[in-house]
Structure formats: structure tokens, C-alpha cells
Amino acid sequence: MTPFRPYEIMVGKALPSMIVGLIQATSILLVAQLWFQIPFAGSNFVLYLSLAEFLAASVGIGLFLSSIARNMQQAMIGTLVVMMPSGLTTPLMTMPAALQYLTAVNPLRYAISMTRQIYLEGAGIVQLLPEMLALLMIAAVTLPIAAWMFRNKLA
């Protein structure tokens, strides 16, 4: 028995991860600009909006996987399998076709593309709309399902 409602517990799990992610992103951005002198061509607003979408989608997947996992090891392996093919270490075009399709549900794929476009090319929301909509779809599907599964686990 807990005095918190299931959605309050879910927000309590999601919000700290998102805040830590934004702090880490800010640290990396500052190091890139101040230490390495990499010129920033885009808008901070667009960058942080895309990062917030990425974090919401990632937290949604993480909460979903943790709600179906029976223990921590299953959750970690599930996260590794889902998040590994992203285009971060291997270009998407060199992956087998099946893995390329699998990356469509990986938020990191979109975050990498958006960050590169914003940081180096100065892309705005209009240019990033396909990636932003994909992240919103991932978050809109995974967060409610994770909340529903979590609520049913508590009952």
C-alpha cells in the first residue's frame, strides 16, 4: 500500500531521468563549445526541444521494458537489445535491412540525426519535423502502455 497514485510513481521515475539527461546534454554542449570551440549553428530552443522529446521517448521505452521485465538483468538485456542498433557506432546504411527497420523504434537514431542537423547545419523545426514526430509517436505509445502495465502490476 502506498499513498501515491500510479501516475505519480511513473512521473517520479521519469522526471529525474529526464532532468539528469538534460544536465548531461548541457555539459556536453558546453564542453563542445568552450573547450573544443565547435561552432554551434542552430537554435538552443530547437536543440533542447528535440532533446526533451528524445528523453521522453527513451524514458517511455525504459519504463515499458522495466514493466515487462521480471528482474533487473532482463530489463538491462532488453534495453541493450532495443537500444543498440541506432546508427551511433555503425552507419544505418551499412546495417542489414531488418536492423534498419528495427532502428525505427530507437529514439537514439532520431536524436543523433537531429543533433547533427541542429548543431552543424542550423536546422529548424520544419526540417526536423519527421524526426520530431517519430519521437513524439514513440513517447505517445510507450509512456501510456508503461503506465497501464505498471498500474496493473500494482493491483
Side-chain angles (χ1 to χ4, degrees):
M1 186 80 181
T2 176
F4 298 109
R5 293 179 188 92
Y7 78 88
E8 292 172 330
I9 295 171
M10 291 297 287
V11 169
K13 287 181 164 197
L15 204 54
S17 299
M18 292 183 70
I19 291 170
V20 168
L22 287 172
I23 290 170
Q24 288 177 337
T26 301
S27 301
I28 292 168
L29 182 64
L30 289 172
V31 168
Q33 288 180 351
L34 300 176
W35 185 296
F36 293 109
Q37 303 293 314
I38 301 172
F40 182 70
S43 158
N44 281 323
F45 172 76
V46 175
L47 179 66
Y48 279 96
L49 178 65
S50 65
L51 286 172
E53 287 184 0
F54 162 68
L55 290 168
S58 296
V59 165
I61 288 176
L63 291 173
F64 172 72
L65 289 174
S66 70
S67 70
I68 61 174
R70 291 191 177 145
N71 55 46
M72 190 170 147
Q73 289 80 13
Q74 284 182 350
M76 290 174 65
I77 290 171
T79 303
L80 180 67
V81 168
V82 170
M83 299 301 274
M84 196 57 175
S86 63
L88 178 64
T89 57
T90 306
L92 292 176
M93 291 170 277
T94 63
M95 292 181 185
L99 275 180
Q100 288 182 24
Y101 289 117
L102 184 63
T103 65
V105 297
N106 188 342
L108 188 55
R109 169 189 177 169
Y110 304 106
I112 292 167
S113 173
M114 289 190 309
T115 303
R116 186 191 77 248
Q117 290 178 63
I118 295 166
Y119 202 98
L120 300 176
E121 301 168 13
I125 292 176
V126 173
Q127 293 91 352
L128 301 171
L129 204 53
E131 287 98 342
M132 293 178 116
L133 290 175
L135 287 176
L136 286 175
M137 294 274 291
I138 293 168
V141 169
T142 57
L143 285 169
I145 290 174
W148 179 81
M149 292 180 76
F150 181 73
R151 185 174 52 249
N152 287 343
K153 251 186 186 180
L154 288 180

